[in-house]
Amino acid sequence: MVDPLPIDRVPIRSTPPISPRDRHHAGASLPNSPTTLVGRAGEVREVVALLRRADVRLLTLTGPGGVGKTRLALAIAKRLASEFRDGVVFVDLAPVHDPNLVMVAIAQTLGLREMPGHSPRETLVAALVDRHVLLVLDNVEHVIAAAPAIAALVAVGPKLTVLATSRSPLNVRAERAYPVGPLPVPDPGPASIATVTGNPAVGLFVERAQAAVPSFTLTDINAVTLAEICRRLDGLPLAIELAAARLTVLPLPGLLTRISNRLALLTAGAQDHPERLRTIRTTIAWSHDLLAAEEQTLFRRLAVFAGGFTLASAEVVMPVASDPGIDILEGIASLVEKSLLVRRQDHDGEPRFGMLETIREYALERLAESGEETTVHRAHALAYRDIAERAEAGFFAGADLPWLDIQEMEHDNFRAALAWSLDHAEVETAQRFGALGPFWFIRGHLTEGRAWFERILALDTRSVTAARAAALFGAGQIARGQGDVAAATALHEEALAIRRSTGDEAGIATSLFMLGDLAIEAADDDRATALHTEALARCRGVGGLDFCVAAALWQLGTIAARRDAQDEAMAAYTEALGVSRGTGGRWVASFVLESLGRAALARGDPARAIELFRESVLSCWEIGDRWALAYALVGLAEAVVVERGFERAARLFGAAEALREAGNMPLMRFTRSGYEQALHAIRTNLDEARRTAAWDAGRHLPLARVVQDVADLAPIAMSPALASPYPGGLTEREGEVLRLLATGLSNAAIAERLFLSRRTIDAHLTHIYAKLDVKSRAAATRVALDHGLA
């Protein structure tokens, strides 16, 4: 923080007070806005309330250029005008380029005459010391060195309040900064008049569009396009206004098509806008040109990140071309302060940063001009290749959930890095992005993943390298997920051949497992048994492949179940569940639970099957595996049919169908028989109207709601068919709730962690207490500690 400069108080009698004529002049200085303020009612209320407080006398609206700080300040000033006895004064500092002239500009706006022997600052102090005035200072960022003098005015004028706008805070002790962000945009997904009406960004676009083209109306047909335009423009008001003005020459779909080049499209703003706000380019350039040279270097290099970045990632990529001349942490903090970076949602306590896409496009232009573009992009590609490979290794070691979450967060960076590698024929780097295969498979990015792998494999069709084997393996996973067994088998066999030739023991083990899985799907149980048996032995021999150990055991159990060797199957499932709950990862556990559900159905225990499928659904949801979730929902629906819950089963089938269609996931062979039988029962017991209504309801219900409905199913008493590894025969979910309870989390915190309702957690705890024969949290915690759960 900067301390206010000392100012000697000048006796009021040495300078004439503000005359009635001058007071009228000051009041007239508040300009009228030619347009209405849209979507900022909440901000106006909050800032007005702050400025009414006695302890807030200097408030700065901060935010990027074009976010609407000036327009917001005017609305706030007009709301408060009647509460300041001596009026509201608006001072535009944009034309002032010397910080030493800021006091002169304020004095001139107030209509004060310079007094012989007194500086403008002394004149201001004397005139304002007893005046009840709201002083609005617009565009302070380029004369920020005047901040101490502004703070000093507030210090000596007990009735003076200052409302400033700036792209960065003034950083003086008296200041209260109020960040102004872009307008909220519609959520991704289907849009209609009903879903976008009331959205601030859409409301602004429609109002400005109707000003340009009076016949423009919002319809269900154009709502989708309009919502996407607002999202692509980051909700930035100036960008939205400039885009809406283009409707005089472009239809809405044409506007969306051209919006990828925002800086060229968003020009020709209103002539009564200040010059710096007539195009998006000049708006961002105004902020860029205020940066120090080393900040400009960091700014353009950070544009290489897509979708955000962490400090650790920036510290790896930024120094590659040359030393940027600034500490990375300090530079990022400065760019955040100056509204050129935004801080985004933290991940596990580590903050992420990013740029609005309009600002990033400008920064990428500066990077291209700098001569550093290739070096910076290559460093970015190598850094994210390494993250992808560490994530894959962590996944096969059993740490699936944390790595999957990291990959989801970095997905845009992976896309950008892979695209650059492909476009610049960086063959090995592109091939090593095959490590993304498990992530794309589990999180349901199957169509996208297959398109990437087609491009990767086209770069090189002959080499016998670990990198090409990684690409073949990843492509095989995606083909498997899409039900293309023949293609997947060919890809994995080629990967296995390369890995055998290079002596990659871990790679051989994982390839054997995937080929065994494909043999099961092809109903070749003898080949599947041989492959999984070898895979299991090799995984145990290599070490660090607990995922594959658990998965191979699970598949061997599946083969045994198909031979009706139920005891053998249950032994394999039990061991697989134990490994997966230990270090093998939750992903395999979700499949084992689904298989156990099918086993329970086969032996005529639908109640137990419902409980197991339910646990599988919740586990799939927790790790974000939409592929497995679709099949767990199908299994649950089949079990519910046996219990004669036909409408609920139809809803579950509808939800599973929508999920499979969204991910281009066919119904796997092993589920078809039970699926068809359940459908026949539903058709027999429900008339067409009820069946269709329930099915459609499931298809259109948000997935989170589907999972919540499953979670809220009343828990069913445990069957002795599978001995639970948790005390008292607790289910998988109850064991997880007990573990979290023992860490000291409240019921609400446990519900948030597990994405369940508070009511569901309360029900779980009731059953946990009953099964453990305890009556308090402390007693339940003691049981958890005794069994090593916390």
Side-chain angles (χ1 to χ4, degrees), residues 143-450:
V143 286
I144 205 78
I150 295 170
L153 282 182
V154 175
V156 299
K159 298 181 182 179
L160 172 66
T161 297
V162 173
L163 173 61
T165 73
S166 175
R167 300 187 188 185
S168 61
L170 307 190
N171 279 333
V172 292
R173 288 182 298 176
E175 179 188 35
R176 175 72 173 260
Y178 185 93
V180 181
L183 294 172
V185 299
D187 292 331
S192 63
I193 291 179
T195 60
V196 302
T197 297
N199 178 265
V202 171
L204 177 63
F205 188 100
V206 170
E207 179 171 300
R208 300 303 189 257
Q210 289 173 343
V213 181
S215 61
F216 179 85
T217 56
L218 177 64
T219 68
D220 281 328
I221 295 174
N222 67 22
V224 175
T225 304
L226 202 160
E228 182 61 21
I229 288 172
C230 291
R231 283 193 292 267
R232 297 276 291 277
L233 294 176
D234 302 307
L236 196 65
L238 177 62
I240 291 172
E241 292 186 358
L242 293 174
R246 285 296 188 188
L247 290 181
T248 57
V249 293
L250 284 172
L252 207 58
L255 186 62
L256 178 59
T257 300
R258 292 170 180 263
I259 216 162
S260 58
N261 189 355
R262 300 166 182 80
L263 299 182
L265 177 70
L266 304 179
T267 59
Q271 291 301 306
D272 57 350
H273 261 321
E275 183 66 33
R276 70 184 187 284
L277 295 179
R278 290 184 189 171
T279 73
I280 281 292
R281 189 187 305 278
T282 55
T283 299
I284 301 169
W286 170 276
S287 294
H288 174 265
D289 293 346
L290 294 175
L291 298 176
E294 59 272 17
E295 290 177 320
Q296 291 180 351
T297 298
L298 184 62
F299 170 68
R300 65 176 178 258
R301 291 182 186 178
L302 288 171
V304 74
F305 291 103
F309 59 89
T310 63
L311 174 62
S313 298
E315 288 176 333
V316 170
V317 176
M318 289 303 95
V320 292
S322 63
D323 185 348
I326 187 173
D327 178 78
I328 305 299
L329 174 59
E330 293 300 323
I332 289 173
S334 178
L335 292 173
V336 170
E337 189 174 82
K338 293 169 182 174
S339 302
L340 289 170
L341 287 179
V342 293
R343 179 168 174 169
R344 293 180 172 161
Q345 185 174 1
D346 293 5
H347 175 71
D348 286 343
E350 184 177 15
R352 288 182 67 81
F353 305 92
M355 293 181 183
L356 299 179
E357 281 303 309
T358 45
I359 293 175
R360 181 170 178 257
E361 186 177 326
Y362 178 88
L364 285 170
E365 285 187 355
R366 302 285 77 77
L367 181 63
E369 293 169 357
S370 71
E372 300 176 340
E373 184 177 27
T374 297
T375 305
V376 173
H377 274 286
R378 179 174 287 114
H380 176 264
L382 295 178
Y384 280 91
R385 175 206 68 190
D386 291 347
I387 292 173
E389 290 181 333
R390 290 201 304 274
E392 184 186 42
F395 174 82
F396 284 122
D400 46 19
L401 183 55
W403 277 113
L404 288 168
D405 286 345
I406 289 170
Q407 288 176 293
E408 195 72 67
M409 189 166 293
E410 299 291 3
H411 201 177
D412 285 337
N413 277 308
F414 290 134
R415 289 171 172 136
L418 181 50
W420 184 88
S421 301
L422 289 165
D423 291 344
H424 292 79
E426 299 273 347
V427 178
E428 182 184 350
T429 299
Q431 289 172 336
R432 288 170 65 177
F433 274 106
L436 291 172
F439 163 67
W440 280 331
F441 176 84
I442 291 172
R443 290 291 167 96
H445 305 294
L446 298 176
T447 301
E448 178 183 359
R450 193 156 193 176

Side-chain angles (χ1 to χ4, degrees), residues 10-17 22 107 111-127:
V10 181
I12 296 176
R13 63 178 179 276
S14 67
T15 305
D22 294 333
L112 297 177
R113 297 181 298 277
E114 287 192 36
M115 299 299 296
H118 296 293
S119 69
R121 189 163 56 192
E122 291 170 335
T123 301
L124 273 175
V125 169

Side-chain angles (χ1 to χ4, degrees), residues 605-616:
D605 189 354
R608 175 66 176 138
I610 287 172
E611 177 65 13
L612 289 163
F613 284 127
R614 174 177 172 275
E615 292 296 319
S616 180

